[in-house]
């Protein structure tokens, strides 16, 4: 386990690096902005906690009106339920018998939901729920364009919903219609088109399910890149944005329409310059094991003429323009991760700071 990087009341200079640091003032602004934007819309907010993996943050979201949280794994669900989160949706398929059994046991202490896209898993979910003496809430996942998990919209999804609704120990709640690929389409028009297509697929599927006599009260989905489109679709009833609390370099590349809410960067990896072999090159202590690189390298915040050009296990190489910036041993460098979710996953602690400038 990572050693404690700081204690409450420590100055930033005392934080051991590399450290995951959140600007609490900006973080709380993001929380409030999302909560206020959804409040009064008639939709439920169920933030995705895979972004932060932190019960305290989940409780802050629920305190602002969220109905519960999403997570991605049974182990994550177990941590949130143990922390007192009363409504958890696992936005993934669960097929391993031991995981299904754990999920059903969690439903003894909380409202627990899970996705299905294959009828063959329904008997296993039903049997586990009966064994645990509880109820699992089931959502049929439809493929609305991401081409990852999900049954085809329309008749195949309607048949699966009927099977889930008739299985003992299961309660069919509705559709999961998340378009992950749309979150990072750079142009607003591209995102608009993608979510319009997803909304049509969800609406047609919902209509077929209800025509078969099965109530379909929930259509859930949406992410940080598109949530306003789902909110305004008149199809979705629940929104699942997650990264909005932190943001990252990749989301920062999206071009926003004038009426889209702009969330601010609150999450950083704080690194220390540990070597300056030449004026045009410096090395920090944050490499591949401190940052996720799936969406590209981090952005160096504030410092002009400094670029993060290469990461190895424990080294981050910075290219420095000496005409604009000089780095010395021990200097602190603030890095904006390319992708917040898998960067957070690398740390055991989040350091919160308040009232200090990131520079």
């Amino acid at each position: 386990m990572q050693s404690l990087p700081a204690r409450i009341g420590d100055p930033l200079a005392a934080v051991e690096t590399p450290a995951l640091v959140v600007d609490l003032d900006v973080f709380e602004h993001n929380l409030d902005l999302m909560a206020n934007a959804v409040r009064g819309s008639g939709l439920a907010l169920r933030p995705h906690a895979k972004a932060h993996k932190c019960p305290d943050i989940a409780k802050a979201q629920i305190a602002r009106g969220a109905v519960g949280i999403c997570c991605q794994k049974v182990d994550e669900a177990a941590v949130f339920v143990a922390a007192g989160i009363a409504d958890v949706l696992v936005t993934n398929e669960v097929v391993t018998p031991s995981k299904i059994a754990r999920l059903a046991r969690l439903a003894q202490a909380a409202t627990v939901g899970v996705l299905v896209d294959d009828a063959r898993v329904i008997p296993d979910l039903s049997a586990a729920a009966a064994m645990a003496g509880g109820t699992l809430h089931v959502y049929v996942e439809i493929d609305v364009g991401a081409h990852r998990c999900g049954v085809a919209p329309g008749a195949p999804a309607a048949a699966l919903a009927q099977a889930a609704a008739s299985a003992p120990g299961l309660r069919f709640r509705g559709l999961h219609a998340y378009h992950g690929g749309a979150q990072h389409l750079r142009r607003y028009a591209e995102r608009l088109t993608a979510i319009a297509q997803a909304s049509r697929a969800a609406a047609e599927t919902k209509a077929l399910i209800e025509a078969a006599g099965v109530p379909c009260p929930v259509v859930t989905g949406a992410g940080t890149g598109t949530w306003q489109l789902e909110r305004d679709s008149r199809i979705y009833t629940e929104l699942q944005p997650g990264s909005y609390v932190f943001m990252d370099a990749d989301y920062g590349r999206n071009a926003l329409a004038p009426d889209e809410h702009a969330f601010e960067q609150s999450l950083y990896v704080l690194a220390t310059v540990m070597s300056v072999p030449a004026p045009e090159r410096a090395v920090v202590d944050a490499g591949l094991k401190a940052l996720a690189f799936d969406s590209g390298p981090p952005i160096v915040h504030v410092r002009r003429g400094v670029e993060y050009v290469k990461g190895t296990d424990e080294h981050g190489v910075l290219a420095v323009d000496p005409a604009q910036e000089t780095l010395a041993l021990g200097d602190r460098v603030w890095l904006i991760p390319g992708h917040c979710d898998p960067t957070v996953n690398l740390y055991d602690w989040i350091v919160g700071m308040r009232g200090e400038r990131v520079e």
Side-chain angles (χ1 to χ4, degrees), residues 274 283-290 293 308 310-317:
M274 60 182 183
V283 182
V284 295
D285 58 357
L288 298 175
K289 293 184 178 181
F293 283 74
Y308 192 112
K310 184 174 71 173
T312 57
D313 281 2
E314 304 290 358
H315 298 76
V317 180

Side-chain angles (χ1 to χ4, degrees), residues 220-292:
T220 184
T224 295
T226 66
W227 65 274
Q228 286 184 241
L229 298 173
E230 284 93 346
R231 182 195 63 180
D232 298 339
S233 69
R234 299 182 181 274
I235 302 301
Y236 286 79
T237 65
E238 187 176 85
L239 307 177
Q240 301 176 4
S243 299
Y244 74 95
V245 298
F246 293 146
M247 300 304 287
D248 55 35
D250 198 68
Y251 268 120
R253 298 181 184 105
N254 283 4
L256 299 182
D259 64 343
E260 283 191 282
H261 288 65
F263 297 96
E264 298 178 25
Q265 187 66 40
S266 72
L267 179 78
Y268 302 88
V269 170
L270 179 61
T272 300
V273 175
M274 60 182 183
S275 177
V276 186
E280 68 278 1
R281 186 172 79 253
V283 182
V284 295
D285 58 357
L288 298 175
K289 293 184 178 181
L291 294 145

Side-chain angles (χ1 to χ4, degrees), residues 1-74:
M1 187 173 184
Q2 176 195 12
S3 61
L4 189 66
R7 297 185 181 279
I8 295 174
D10 281 351
L12 278 174
V15 176
E16 289 191 0
T17 62
L20 193 68
V21 180
V22 169
D23 183 326
L24 293 174
D25 296 319
V26 176
F27 163 78
E28 289 170 356
H29 165 79
N30 290 344
L31 286 178
D32 292 336
L33 180 59
M34 178 64 77
N36 292 335
V38 176
R39 187 178 295 116
S41 68
L43 278 70
L45 177 62
R46 183 186 293 276
H48 214 305
K50 72 181 177 65
H52 56 70
K53 298 170 72 78
C54 178
D56 286 340
I57 293 177
K59 291 176 181 178
Q61 293 170 315
I62 290 169
R64 287 168 170 80
V67 297
I69 56 109
C70 299
C71 62
Q72 205 71 356
K73 303 190 296 183
V74 175

Side-chain angles (χ1 to χ4, degrees), residues 98-165:
S98 58
K99 292 181 180 181
I100 290 175
R102 289 208 305 276
L103 196 68
R105 290 194 295 270
L106 291 176
Q108 297 171 336
T111 299
V112 175
V114 66
L115 308 187
V116 296
D117 67 359
D118 194 312
R120 288 172 291 185
V121 77
I122 288 177
D124 296 333
L125 292 169
S126 177
M131 179 70 69
T135 300
L136 283 171
H137 293 234
V138 171
Y139 299 72
V140 170
E141 181 172 19
I142 57 174
D143 181 359
V144 291
H147 305 315
R148 195 170 58 180
C149 295
V151 67
L160 187 54
Q162 289 177 273

